[in-house]
Amino acid sequence: MTEYLMGGAGGFAMNQNFAPQEIDQIVRAQSAARSIARKNVRDQLHGDSLHGADLSVMEREFEKGDLEVQTLLRGNRVRRFKAFEALPVPQPTVRLS
Amino acid sequence: MSLRSETPIDVAADVRLAASGATVASAGTSMTSDLSIDEEFNLHAIGWEPVELVSGVSVVSIPAGMWNWGQGEIAGATEAHALAFKNAIDRIEKEAGAAGGQGVVGVHIERTVHSTHVEISLLGTAVRPVALKRVELNHVFVSDLSARDFARLMVAGWEPLGLATGASFVYAPRRSVGAVFQQQTQNIELTNFTEAMYSARESAMARMQESALALGGTGVVEVKVVEGPMSFATHAIKFVSWGTVVRLAASSHQLVQPTTVVSLNDAAVAFDAATLE
């Protein structure tokens, strides 16, 4: 997470590569944090649905180079108890204001 | 009704599985979505349903020394931005397909450009036709249209095909010392910035159009644009644009007459109610 690490392909080594490269470690951490948050929520749902979900991601470097990704997923757990009638197809509107 | 998980959470195993790129768990019968209730019902009105909250992330490094002196386009930054967008879109498509979705709507795009790297994060809700038997993985679309706009689009006979993006980072060369002294008492256009902005815009918009054509689209809607200098590189101009690629799926456009709405929620009070008799 340091500037040096995030620079990835930078540096002045003989085998330096000036092409942009994906930083795999961070991508894996970010993806895993989101995946686990969703999995934990699903485990609590037991067949119900989560509506209006909000996913917030925070990251911090707690030691030089060590990145911590925190993901918080929250929403409303809802259960369908009867068949519903879908709303009419939404119509385009022109607002006069 | 217990909200606690009945199965212990094995975080280490989940991390390994998630890091391998595989889906952590099948969606089962539970559905997660960041759509509002209205939006879900709008989807049902056109025969679609939400399936799962999906995301795609990419972080790409920008080679060192890119933001210093130079002329023309900053190729390393432009390529890094394009690669990050492409990878993030690929990942969210893959997640949506694995969850049984035929597309993703309402995609929130978070993009950050640092001096050393570009971060792109996409988050949206995978959706599918209610009667869908099998997902066509080659045709999973990603769209930043809201579910409501997606429903309107489909009703009008159009379909979304994916996200088109274009970006360009261009140097705004510094003026010579002589020019700075000569112009310091004049109100004069800084043509280096103007030209850099035009150059970045032309390149970014052309790239967005190219990516739209590559998806087989005939247009891009809901285009968003971000432009200007960056805090860490005041002599570089960025121009980034993205939008949803669409094409006419029906034999002809279905005319949907717009409804006129007069809002009664005007915040400005035109008269004082206490003065009324």
Short mmCIF file of all heavy atoms in Angstrom, two decimals, chain A residues 6-7 18 20-23 27-28 32 34-36 38-39 42 44-45 47-53 77 79 84 87 89 91-96, chain B residues 1 3 15 24-25 30-31 33-35 40 45 52-53 55 58-61 63 76 87 91 95 116-117 121 152 155 256 258-261 263:
data_model
loop_
_atom_site.label_atom_id
_atom_site.label_comp_id
_atom_site.label_asym_id
_atom_site.label_seq_id
_atom_site.Cartn_x
_atom_site.Cartn_y
_atom_site.Cartn_z
N MET A 6 2.57 0.61 -4.54
CA MET A 6 1.50 0.94 -5.46
C MET A 6 2.05 1.31 -6.82
O MET A 6 1.36 1.21 -7.82
CB MET A 6 0.67 2.10 -4.92
CG MET A 6 -0.05 1.79 -3.62
SD MET A 6 -1.13 0.37 -3.77
CE MET A 6 -2.53 1.11 -4.56
N GLY A 7 3.28 1.76 -6.85
CA GLY A 7 3.89 2.09 -8.13
C GLY A 7 4.06 0.88 -9.01
O GLY A 7 4.18 1.01 -10.22
N PHE A 18 7.78 -0.59 -18.01
CA PHE A 18 7.07 0.68 -17.94
C PHE A 18 5.61 0.56 -18.37
O PHE A 18 4.93 1.56 -18.49
CB PHE A 18 7.78 1.74 -18.78
CG PHE A 18 8.98 2.31 -18.07
CD1 PHE A 18 10.26 1.97 -18.44
CD2 PHE A 18 8.80 3.18 -17.00
CE1 PHE A 18 11.34 2.50 -17.77
CE2 PHE A 18 9.88 3.71 -16.33
CZ PHE A 18 11.17 3.36 -16.71
N PRO A 20 1.72 -0.33 -17.66
CA PRO A 20 0.86 -0.43 -16.48
C PRO A 20 0.53 -1.89 -16.19
O PRO A 20 0.35 -2.69 -17.12
CB PRO A 20 -0.41 0.31 -16.91
CG PRO A 20 -0.01 1.16 -18.06
CD PRO A 20 1.09 0.43 -18.74
N GLN A 21 0.51 -2.22 -14.93
CA GLN A 21 0.21 -3.61 -14.55
C GLN A 21 -0.80 -3.62 -13.42
O GLN A 21 -0.80 -2.73 -12.57
CB GLN A 21 1.48 -4.31 -14.08
CG GLN A 21 2.48 -4.53 -15.18
CD GLN A 21 3.75 -5.18 -14.67
OE1 GLN A 21 4.09 -5.05 -13.50
NE2 GLN A 21 4.44 -5.87 -15.56
N GLU A 22 -1.62 -4.65 -13.42
CA GLU A 22 -2.59 -4.79 -12.33
C GLU A 22 -1.86 -5.20 -11.06
O GLU A 22 -0.94 -6.03 -11.11
CB GLU A 22 -3.64 -5.82 -12.69
CG GLU A 22 -4.78 -5.82 -11.69
CD GLU A 22 -6.06 -6.35 -12.29
OE1 GLU A 22 -6.02 -7.49 -12.77
OE2 GLU A 22 -7.06 -5.62 -12.30
N ILE A 23 -2.29 -4.64 -9.94
CA ILE A 23 -1.67 -4.98 -8.65
C ILE A 23 -2.52 -6.09 -8.03
O ILE A 23 -3.54 -5.84 -7.38
CB ILE A 23 -1.58 -3.74 -7.75
CG1 ILE A 23 -0.84 -2.62 -8.51
CG2 ILE A 23 -0.85 -4.06 -6.46
CD1 ILE A 23 -0.84 -1.29 -7.82
N VAL A 27 -6.12 -6.24 -5.64
CA VAL A 27 -7.36 -6.63 -6.32
C VAL A 27 -7.96 -7.85 -5.62
O VAL A 27 -9.17 -7.92 -5.38
CB VAL A 27 -7.09 -6.92 -7.80
CG1 VAL A 27 -8.32 -7.52 -8.46
CG2 VAL A 27 -6.67 -5.66 -8.52
N ARG A 28 -7.09 -8.83 -5.29
CA ARG A 28 -7.60 -10.03 -4.61
C ARG A 28 -8.19 -9.68 -3.25
O ARG A 28 -9.24 -10.18 -2.87
CB ARG A 28 -6.48 -11.05 -4.45
CG ARG A 28 -6.21 -11.86 -5.72
CD ARG A 28 -5.53 -13.18 -5.38
NE ARG A 28 -4.24 -12.98 -4.74
CZ ARG A 28 -3.08 -12.85 -5.40
NH1 ARG A 28 -3.08 -12.91 -6.72
NH2 ARG A 28 -1.96 -12.69 -4.75
N ALA A 32 -12.03 -10.19 -2.42
CA ALA A 32 -12.35 -11.15 -1.37
C ALA A 32 -13.18 -10.49 -0.28
O ALA A 32 -14.14 -11.08 0.24
CB ALA A 32 -11.07 -11.72 -0.78
N ARG A 34 -15.28 -8.02 -0.50
CA ARG A 34 -16.67 -7.84 -0.96
C ARG A 34 -17.39 -9.18 -0.99
O ARG A 34 -18.56 -9.30 -0.61
CB ARG A 34 -16.67 -7.21 -2.36
CG ARG A 34 -16.29 -5.75 -2.37
CD ARG A 34 -15.95 -5.31 -3.78
NE ARG A 34 -15.80 -3.88 -3.92
CZ ARG A 34 -14.75 -3.17 -3.54
NH1 ARG A 34 -13.73 -3.79 -2.95
NH2 ARG A 34 -14.69 -1.87 -3.73
N SER A 35 -16.71 -10.20 -1.49
CA SER A 35 -17.31 -11.53 -1.62
C SER A 35 -17.71 -12.08 -0.25
O SER A 35 -18.79 -12.63 -0.08
CB SER A 35 -16.29 -12.48 -2.25
OG SER A 35 -16.68 -12.83 -3.52
N ILE A 36 -16.82 -11.94 0.71
CA ILE A 36 -17.08 -12.49 2.04
C ILE A 36 -18.23 -11.75 2.71
O ILE A 36 -19.08 -12.35 3.36
CB ILE A 36 -15.80 -12.42 2.90
CG1 ILE A 36 -14.76 -13.38 2.32
CG2 ILE A 36 -16.09 -12.78 4.35
CD1 ILE A 36 -13.37 -13.14 2.84
N ARG A 38 -20.75 -10.39 1.25
CA ARG A 38 -22.00 -10.85 0.64
C ARG A 38 -22.36 -12.26 1.10
O ARG A 38 -23.50 -12.58 1.35
CB ARG A 38 -21.90 -10.79 -0.89
CG ARG A 38 -22.14 -9.39 -1.42
CD ARG A 38 -21.97 -9.32 -2.89
NE ARG A 38 -20.55 -9.37 -3.23
CZ ARG A 38 -20.09 -9.79 -4.38
NH1 ARG A 38 -20.90 -10.20 -5.31
NH2 ARG A 38 -18.80 -9.79 -4.62
N LYS A 39 -21.33 -13.09 1.23
CA LYS A 39 -21.57 -14.47 1.67
C LYS A 39 -22.11 -14.49 3.10
O LYS A 39 -23.05 -15.22 3.42
CB LYS A 39 -20.26 -15.25 1.56
CG LYS A 39 -20.41 -16.73 1.73
CD LYS A 39 -19.76 -17.17 3.01
CE LYS A 39 -19.91 -18.68 3.18
NZ LYS A 39 -19.66 -19.05 4.57
N ARG A 42 -25.69 -13.45 3.01
CA ARG A 42 -26.54 -14.53 2.47
C ARG A 42 -26.78 -15.61 3.52
O ARG A 42 -27.86 -16.17 3.62
CB ARG A 42 -25.89 -15.14 1.22
CG ARG A 42 -26.29 -14.48 -0.07
CD ARG A 42 -26.04 -15.40 -1.24
NE ARG A 42 -24.66 -15.83 -1.30
CZ ARG A 42 -23.69 -15.20 -1.95
NH1 ARG A 42 -23.98 -14.10 -2.60
NH2 ARG A 42 -22.46 -15.65 -1.95
N GLN A 44 -27.14 -15.23 6.54
CA GLN A 44 -28.13 -14.79 7.52
C GLN A 44 -29.53 -14.72 6.94
O GLN A 44 -30.50 -14.61 7.68
CB GLN A 44 -27.77 -13.40 8.04
CG GLN A 44 -26.46 -13.35 8.79
CD GLN A 44 -26.08 -11.91 9.13
OE1 GLN A 44 -26.93 -11.08 9.39
NE2 GLN A 44 -24.79 -11.64 9.13
N LEU A 45 -29.63 -14.74 5.63
CA LEU A 45 -30.93 -14.47 5.02
C LEU A 45 -31.88 -15.67 5.05
O LEU A 45 -33.09 -15.51 5.13
CB LEU A 45 -30.75 -13.99 3.56
CG LEU A 45 -30.17 -12.59 3.40
CD1 LEU A 45 -29.92 -12.28 1.94
CD2 LEU A 45 -31.10 -11.55 3.99
N GLY A 47 -33.06 -17.60 2.79
CA GLY A 47 -34.11 -17.60 1.77
C GLY A 47 -34.82 -16.26 1.63
O GLY A 47 -35.57 -16.05 0.68
N ASP A 48 -34.63 -15.35 2.58
CA ASP A 48 -35.23 -14.02 2.44
C ASP A 48 -34.38 -13.18 1.49
O ASP A 48 -33.36 -13.63 1.00
CB ASP A 48 -35.32 -13.33 3.81
CG ASP A 48 -36.26 -14.07 4.75
OD1 ASP A 48 -37.13 -14.80 4.24
OD2 ASP A 48 -36.10 -13.93 5.98
N SER A 49 -34.81 -11.96 1.26
CA SER A 49 -34.08 -11.09 0.35
C SER A 49 -33.52 -9.89 1.10
O SER A 49 -34.04 -9.50 2.15
CB SER A 49 -35.01 -10.58 -0.75
OG SER A 49 -35.54 -11.67 -1.46
N LEU A 50 -32.47 -9.32 0.55
CA LEU A 50 -31.90 -8.10 1.12
C LEU A 50 -32.13 -6.97 0.12
O LEU A 50 -31.69 -7.04 -1.02
CB LEU A 50 -30.39 -8.27 1.36
CG LEU A 50 -29.74 -7.13 2.13
CD1 LEU A 50 -30.04 -7.28 3.62
CD2 LEU A 50 -28.24 -7.10 1.90
N HIS A 51 -32.86 -5.98 0.58
CA HIS A 51 -33.19 -4.87 -0.32
C HIS A 51 -32.45 -3.60 0.08
O HIS A 51 -32.14 -3.41 1.24
CB HIS A 51 -34.68 -4.58 -0.28
CG HIS A 51 -35.43 -5.32 -1.33
ND1 HIS A 51 -35.38 -4.97 -2.64
CD2 HIS A 51 -36.21 -6.41 -1.25
CE1 HIS A 51 -36.13 -5.82 -3.33
NE2 HIS A 51 -36.63 -6.70 -2.52
N GLY A 52 -32.26 -2.76 -0.91
CA GLY A 52 -31.63 -1.46 -0.64
C GLY A 52 -30.26 -1.61 -0.03
O GLY A 52 -29.88 -0.84 0.85
N ALA A 53 -29.52 -2.61 -0.49
CA ALA A 53 -28.21 -2.90 0.12
C ALA A 53 -27.25 -1.73 -0.09
O ALA A 53 -27.30 -1.05 -1.12
CB ALA A 53 -27.64 -4.17 -0.48
N ARG A 77 -33.72 -6.74 5.37
CA ARG A 77 -34.10 -8.13 5.10
C ARG A 77 -35.62 -8.17 4.93
O ARG A 77 -36.35 -7.77 5.83
CB ARG A 77 -33.67 -9.00 6.27
CG ARG A 77 -34.06 -10.46 6.13
CD ARG A 77 -33.56 -11.23 7.32
NE ARG A 77 -34.00 -12.61 7.27
CZ ARG A 77 -33.64 -13.51 8.17
NH1 ARG A 77 -32.85 -13.18 9.16
NH2 ARG A 77 -34.07 -14.77 8.06
N ARG A 79 -39.17 -10.39 3.39
CA ARG A 79 -39.71 -11.70 3.03
C ARG A 79 -41.04 -11.51 2.31
O ARG A 79 -41.89 -10.73 2.75
CB ARG A 79 -39.94 -12.52 4.30
CG ARG A 79 -40.49 -13.90 4.04
CD ARG A 79 -40.62 -14.66 5.33
NE ARG A 79 -39.31 -14.82 5.96
CZ ARG A 79 -39.16 -15.25 7.22
NH1 ARG A 79 -40.20 -15.54 7.96
NH2 ARG A 79 -37.94 -15.37 7.73
N PHE A 84 -47.41 -10.62 -5.36
CA PHE A 84 -47.68 -9.20 -5.51
C PHE A 84 -47.98 -8.88 -6.97
O PHE A 84 -47.62 -9.63 -7.87
CB PHE A 84 -46.49 -8.37 -5.04
CG PHE A 84 -45.24 -8.58 -5.85
CD1 PHE A 84 -44.96 -7.78 -6.96
CD2 PHE A 84 -44.35 -9.58 -5.51
CE1 PHE A 84 -43.83 -7.98 -7.70
CE2 PHE A 84 -43.21 -9.79 -6.25
CZ PHE A 84 -42.95 -9.00 -7.35
N LEU A 87 -45.80 -3.25 -10.43
CA LEU A 87 -46.21 -1.89 -10.77
C LEU A 87 -46.36 -1.78 -12.29
O LEU A 87 -45.78 -2.57 -13.03
CB LEU A 87 -45.14 -0.90 -10.30
CG LEU A 87 -44.94 -0.73 -8.81
CD1 LEU A 87 -43.77 0.22 -8.57
CD2 LEU A 87 -46.19 -0.17 -8.17
N VAL A 89 -45.62 -0.48 -16.00
CA VAL A 89 -44.34 -0.15 -16.63
C VAL A 89 -44.07 1.34 -16.46
O VAL A 89 -44.96 2.16 -16.69
CB VAL A 89 -44.38 -0.52 -18.12
CG1 VAL A 89 -43.13 -0.04 -18.81
CG2 VAL A 89 -44.55 -2.01 -18.28
N GLN A 91 -43.29 5.15 -16.94
CA GLN A 91 -43.45 6.01 -18.11
C GLN A 91 -42.41 7.14 -18.04
O GLN A 91 -42.08 7.62 -16.96
CB GLN A 91 -44.85 6.66 -18.10
CG GLN A 91 -45.97 5.66 -18.24
CD GLN A 91 -45.99 5.02 -19.60
OE1 GLN A 91 -45.96 5.69 -20.62
NE2 GLN A 91 -46.03 3.69 -19.63
N PRO A 92 -41.92 7.57 -19.19
CA PRO A 92 -41.04 8.74 -19.17
C PRO A 92 -41.83 9.98 -18.77
O PRO A 92 -43.03 10.08 -19.05
CB PRO A 92 -40.54 8.84 -20.60
CG PRO A 92 -41.51 8.08 -21.42
CD PRO A 92 -42.13 7.05 -20.54
N THR A 93 -41.18 10.89 -18.08
CA THR A 93 -41.87 12.11 -17.64
C THR A 93 -41.07 13.34 -18.04
O THR A 93 -39.85 13.28 -18.20
CB THR A 93 -42.02 12.13 -16.10
OG1 THR A 93 -40.74 11.93 -15.51
CG2 THR A 93 -42.97 11.05 -15.62
N VAL A 94 -41.79 14.40 -18.25
CA VAL A 94 -41.15 15.70 -18.49
C VAL A 94 -41.56 16.59 -17.31
O VAL A 94 -42.73 16.79 -17.06
CB VAL A 94 -41.64 16.33 -19.81
CG1 VAL A 94 -41.03 17.72 -19.98
CG2 VAL A 94 -41.29 15.45 -20.97
N ARG A 95 -40.59 17.06 -16.57
CA ARG A 95 -40.91 17.83 -15.36
C ARG A 95 -40.90 19.32 -15.69
O ARG A 95 -39.94 19.84 -16.28
CB ARG A 95 -39.88 17.52 -14.28
CG ARG A 95 -40.17 18.15 -12.93
CD ARG A 95 -39.23 17.61 -11.88
NE ARG A 95 -39.48 16.20 -11.62
CZ ARG A 95 -40.40 15.78 -10.73
NH1 ARG A 95 -41.12 16.65 -10.07
NH2 ARG A 95 -40.58 14.51 -10.54
N LEU A 96 -41.96 19.99 -15.34
CA LEU A 96 -42.05 21.43 -15.55
C LEU A 96 -41.73 22.12 -14.23
O LEU A 96 -42.50 22.04 -13.29
CB LEU A 96 -43.44 21.83 -16.00
CG LEU A 96 -43.94 21.17 -17.30
CD1 LEU A 96 -45.37 21.62 -17.60
CD2 LEU A 96 -43.02 21.52 -18.46
N MET B 1 -37.25 -15.27 14.92
CA MET B 1 -36.43 -15.26 13.70
C MET B 1 -35.01 -14.82 14.07
O MET B 1 -34.79 -13.72 14.55
CB MET B 1 -37.05 -14.29 12.69
CG MET B 1 -36.29 -14.19 11.41
SD MET B 1 -37.26 -13.35 10.15
CE MET B 1 -37.43 -11.71 10.84
N LEU B 3 -31.27 -13.70 13.33
CA LEU B 3 -30.50 -13.07 12.27
C LEU B 3 -29.06 -13.58 12.25
O LEU B 3 -28.28 -13.23 11.40
CB LEU B 3 -30.50 -11.54 12.45
CG LEU B 3 -31.84 -10.87 12.22
CD1 LEU B 3 -31.71 -9.38 12.47
CD2 LEU B 3 -32.35 -11.12 10.81
N VAL B 15 -11.60 -16.53 2.18
CA VAL B 15 -10.60 -15.69 1.53
C VAL B 15 -9.90 -16.47 0.42
O VAL B 15 -9.72 -15.98 -0.69
CB VAL B 15 -9.57 -15.16 2.55
CG1 VAL B 15 -8.38 -14.52 1.84
CG2 VAL B 15 -10.21 -14.15 3.48
N VAL B 24 -17.97 -17.34 -3.95
CA VAL B 24 -17.89 -17.87 -2.59
C VAL B 24 -19.00 -18.87 -2.32
O VAL B 24 -18.80 -19.93 -1.77
CB VAL B 24 -17.95 -16.72 -1.57
CG1 VAL B 24 -18.12 -17.25 -0.17
CG2 VAL B 24 -16.67 -15.92 -1.65
N ALA B 25 -20.18 -18.54 -2.70
CA ALA B 25 -21.29 -19.46 -2.49
C ALA B 25 -22.34 -19.20 -3.56
O ALA B 25 -22.41 -18.12 -4.11
CB ALA B 25 -21.90 -19.25 -1.11
N SER B 30 -31.73 -16.93 -1.78
CA SER B 30 -31.64 -15.59 -1.23
C SER B 30 -31.23 -14.62 -2.32
O SER B 30 -30.43 -14.96 -3.19
CB SER B 30 -30.61 -15.54 -0.10
OG SER B 30 -31.03 -16.35 0.96
N MET B 31 -31.75 -13.42 -2.23
CA MET B 31 -31.42 -12.40 -3.22
C MET B 31 -30.92 -11.17 -2.49
O MET B 31 -31.48 -10.77 -1.47
CB MET B 31 -32.67 -12.09 -4.05
CG MET B 31 -32.50 -11.07 -5.13
SD MET B 31 -32.73 -9.39 -4.57
CE MET B 31 -34.48 -9.37 -4.25
N SER B 33 -29.78 -7.10 -3.22
CA SER B 33 -29.86 -6.09 -4.27
C SER B 33 -29.80 -4.71 -3.65
O SER B 33 -30.28 -4.50 -2.53
CB SER B 33 -31.18 -6.30 -5.03
OG SER B 33 -31.84 -5.11 -5.24
N ASP B 34 -29.21 -3.79 -4.38
CA ASP B 34 -29.22 -2.41 -3.89
C ASP B 34 -30.34 -1.61 -4.54
O ASP B 34 -30.35 -0.38 -4.46
CB ASP B 34 -27.86 -1.74 -4.08
CG ASP B 34 -27.45 -1.66 -5.54
OD1 ASP B 34 -28.14 -2.28 -6.37
OD2 ASP B 34 -26.44 -1.01 -5.84
N LEU B 35 -31.27 -2.30 -5.15
CA LEU B 35 -32.41 -1.62 -5.78
C LEU B 35 -33.43 -1.23 -4.71
O LEU B 35 -33.53 -1.89 -3.68
CB LEU B 35 -33.08 -2.54 -6.80
CG LEU B 35 -32.23 -3.07 -7.93
CD1 LEU B 35 -33.06 -3.96 -8.84
CD2 LEU B 35 -31.63 -1.93 -8.72
N GLU B 40 -37.46 -2.74 -8.00
CA GLU B 40 -37.67 -4.17 -8.19
C GLU B 40 -39.02 -4.43 -8.87
O GLU B 40 -39.14 -5.24 -9.77
CB GLU B 40 -37.60 -4.93 -6.87
CG GLU B 40 -37.82 -6.42 -7.15
CD GLU B 40 -37.72 -7.32 -5.95
OE1 GLU B 40 -37.27 -6.86 -4.90
OE2 GLU B 40 -38.09 -8.50 -6.09
N ALA B 45 -42.31 -5.65 -13.74
CA ALA B 45 -43.30 -5.20 -14.72
C ALA B 45 -42.89 -5.52 -16.14
O ALA B 45 -43.74 -5.67 -17.03
CB ALA B 45 -43.52 -3.68 -14.57
N GLU B 52 -28.69 -10.76 -7.65
CA GLU B 52 -27.59 -10.74 -6.70
C GLU B 52 -26.81 -9.43 -6.83
O GLU B 52 -26.72 -8.87 -7.91
CB GLU B 52 -26.67 -11.94 -7.01
CG GLU B 52 -25.39 -12.04 -6.24
CD GLU B 52 -25.58 -12.50 -4.80
OE1 GLU B 52 -26.71 -12.46 -4.31
OE2 GLU B 52 -24.59 -12.88 -4.17
N LEU B 53 -26.28 -8.99 -5.71
CA LEU B 53 -25.38 -7.83 -5.73
C LEU B 53 -24.02 -8.30 -6.23
O LEU B 53 -23.47 -9.26 -5.69
CB LEU B 53 -25.27 -7.29 -4.30
CG LEU B 53 -24.71 -5.89 -4.10
CD1 LEU B 53 -25.64 -4.85 -4.70
CD2 LEU B 53 -24.50 -5.63 -2.62
N SER B 55 -19.97 -7.23 -7.93
CA SER B 55 -18.98 -6.16 -7.99
C SER B 55 -17.79 -6.57 -8.84
O SER B 55 -17.58 -7.75 -9.10
CB SER B 55 -18.50 -5.80 -6.57
OG SER B 55 -17.78 -6.87 -6.02
N SER B 58 -10.63 -3.32 -9.91
CA SER B 58 -9.31 -3.43 -10.52
C SER B 58 -8.43 -2.27 -10.04
O SER B 58 -8.89 -1.13 -9.92
CB SER B 58 -9.41 -3.42 -12.04
OG SER B 58 -8.12 -3.58 -12.61
N VAL B 59 -7.19 -2.58 -9.76
CA VAL B 59 -6.19 -1.57 -9.36
C VAL B 59 -4.99 -1.76 -10.28
O VAL B 59 -4.42 -2.84 -10.33
CB VAL B 59 -5.77 -1.74 -7.89
CG1 VAL B 59 -4.78 -0.64 -7.50
CG2 VAL B 59 -6.97 -1.74 -6.96
N VAL B 60 -4.66 -0.74 -11.02
CA VAL B 60 -3.57 -0.86 -12.01
C VAL B 60 -2.53 0.22 -11.73
O VAL B 60 -2.88 1.39 -11.50
CB VAL B 60 -4.12 -0.73 -13.45
CG1 VAL B 60 -2.99 -0.70 -14.45
CG2 VAL B 60 -5.07 -1.88 -13.76
N SER B 61 -1.29 -0.17 -11.76
CA SER B 61 -0.21 0.77 -11.46
C SER B 61 0.06 1.69 -12.64
O SER B 61 -0.15 1.32 -13.80
CB SER B 61 1.07 -0.01 -11.14
OG SER B 61 1.54 -0.66 -12.29
N PRO B 63 3.17 3.61 -14.26
CA PRO B 63 4.64 3.61 -14.17
C PRO B 63 5.18 4.93 -13.61
O PRO B 63 4.62 6.00 -13.85
CB PRO B 63 5.08 3.39 -15.61
CG PRO B 63 3.94 2.69 -16.25
CD PRO B 63 2.71 3.21 -15.59
N GLY B 76 1.05 6.16 -20.37
CA GLY B 76 1.02 5.20 -19.27
C GLY B 76 -0.23 5.34 -18.42
O GLY B 76 -0.86 4.35 -18.03
N ASN B 87 -10.74 -4.52 -16.85
CA ASN B 87 -10.69 -5.64 -15.90
C ASN B 87 -11.87 -5.62 -14.95
O ASN B 87 -12.44 -6.66 -14.63
CB ASN B 87 -9.38 -5.59 -15.11
CG ASN B 87 -8.19 -5.96 -15.98
OD1 ASN B 87 -8.34 -6.47 -17.08
ND2 ASN B 87 -7.00 -5.70 -15.48
N ARG B 91 -14.77 -8.52 -14.62
CA ARG B 91 -15.03 -9.22 -13.36
C ARG B 91 -16.50 -9.13 -12.94
O ARG B 91 -17.07 -10.10 -12.47
CB ARG B 91 -14.13 -8.66 -12.26
CG ARG B 91 -12.72 -9.12 -12.45
CD ARG B 91 -11.76 -8.68 -11.40
NE ARG B 91 -10.46 -9.18 -11.80
CZ ARG B 91 -9.38 -8.43 -11.97
NH1 ARG B 91 -9.43 -7.15 -11.71
NH2 ARG B 91 -8.26 -8.96 -12.38
N GLU B 95 -19.01 -12.28 -12.48
CA GLU B 95 -19.77 -12.51 -11.24
C GLU B 95 -21.26 -12.59 -11.52
O GLU B 95 -21.97 -13.42 -10.96
CB GLU B 95 -19.51 -11.38 -10.24
CG GLU B 95 -18.34 -11.64 -9.32
CD GLU B 95 -18.37 -10.75 -8.08
OE1 GLU B 95 -19.43 -10.24 -7.71
OE2 GLU B 95 -17.30 -10.58 -7.49
N THR B 116 0.28 7.09 -8.50
CA THR B 116 0.93 5.80 -8.71
C THR B 116 0.01 4.72 -9.26
O THR B 116 0.48 3.69 -9.73
CB THR B 116 1.50 5.28 -7.39
OG1 THR B 116 0.45 5.36 -6.40
CG2 THR B 116 2.69 6.11 -6.92
N HIS B 117 -1.28 4.91 -9.16
CA HIS B 117 -2.19 3.84 -9.60
C HIS B 117 -3.60 4.36 -9.85
O HIS B 117 -3.95 5.47 -9.43
CB HIS B 117 -2.23 2.72 -8.55
CG HIS B 117 -2.78 3.16 -7.23
ND1 HIS B 117 -2.04 3.88 -6.31
CD2 HIS B 117 -3.99 2.99 -6.67
CE1 HIS B 117 -2.77 4.12 -5.25
NE2 HIS B 117 -3.96 3.60 -5.44
N SER B 121 -13.83 0.65 -9.19
CA SER B 121 -14.70 -0.28 -8.47
C SER B 121 -16.12 -0.15 -9.01
O SER B 121 -16.65 0.95 -9.11
CB SER B 121 -14.68 0.07 -6.97
OG SER B 121 -15.67 -0.65 -6.30
N ARG B 152 -37.65 1.36 -18.87
CA ARG B 152 -38.14 2.27 -19.91
C ARG B 152 -37.48 1.95 -21.25
O ARG B 152 -38.11 1.96 -22.30
CB ARG B 152 -37.83 3.72 -19.55
CG ARG B 152 -38.69 4.29 -18.47
CD ARG B 152 -38.38 5.77 -18.33
NE ARG B 152 -38.95 6.33 -17.13
CZ ARG B 152 -38.27 6.98 -16.21
NH1 ARG B 152 -36.98 7.16 -16.35
NH2 ARG B 152 -38.87 7.47 -15.15
N VAL B 155 -38.91 -1.23 -22.75
CA VAL B 155 -40.27 -1.03 -23.25
C VAL B 155 -40.24 -0.31 -24.59
O VAL B 155 -41.06 -0.56 -25.47
CB VAL B 155 -41.10 -0.24 -22.21
CG1 VAL B 155 -42.40 0.27 -22.81
CG2 VAL B 155 -41.38 -1.11 -21.00
N VAL B 256 -43.07 5.89 -26.70
CA VAL B 256 -43.66 5.96 -25.37
C VAL B 256 -43.87 7.43 -25.07
O VAL B 256 -42.92 8.19 -24.96
CB VAL B 256 -42.73 5.33 -24.31
CG1 VAL B 256 -43.42 5.31 -22.95
CG2 VAL B 256 -42.32 3.93 -24.73
N PRO B 258 -44.25 10.69 -23.27
CA PRO B 258 -43.90 11.15 -21.92
C PRO B 258 -45.07 11.85 -21.23
O PRO B 258 -45.92 12.46 -21.89
CB PRO B 258 -42.74 12.13 -22.15
CG PRO B 258 -42.84 12.53 -23.57
CD PRO B 258 -43.56 11.44 -24.31
N THR B 259 -45.13 11.72 -19.94
CA THR B 259 -46.17 12.36 -19.14
C THR B 259 -45.61 13.66 -18.57
O THR B 259 -44.48 13.70 -18.10
CB THR B 259 -46.57 11.45 -17.96
OG1 THR B 259 -46.87 10.17 -18.47
CG2 THR B 259 -47.75 12.00 -17.19
N THR B 260 -46.43 14.70 -18.64
CA THR B 260 -45.98 15.99 -18.09
C THR B 260 -46.26 16.02 -16.59
O THR B 260 -47.34 15.66 -16.15
CB THR B 260 -46.73 17.14 -18.78
OG1 THR B 260 -46.53 17.03 -20.18
CG2 THR B 260 -46.20 18.49 -18.30
N VAL B 261 -45.26 16.41 -15.84
CA VAL B 261 -45.38 16.44 -14.38
C VAL B 261 -45.11 17.85 -13.90
O VAL B 261 -44.14 18.48 -14.31
CB VAL B 261 -44.34 15.49 -13.74
CG1 VAL B 261 -44.36 15.62 -12.23
CG2 VAL B 261 -44.61 14.05 -14.15
N SER B 263 -44.37 19.69 -10.53
CA SER B 263 -44.03 19.41 -9.13
C SER B 263 -44.72 20.40 -8.20
O SER B 263 -44.76 21.60 -8.47
CB SER B 263 -42.51 19.50 -8.96
OG SER B 263 -42.21 19.37 -7.60
#
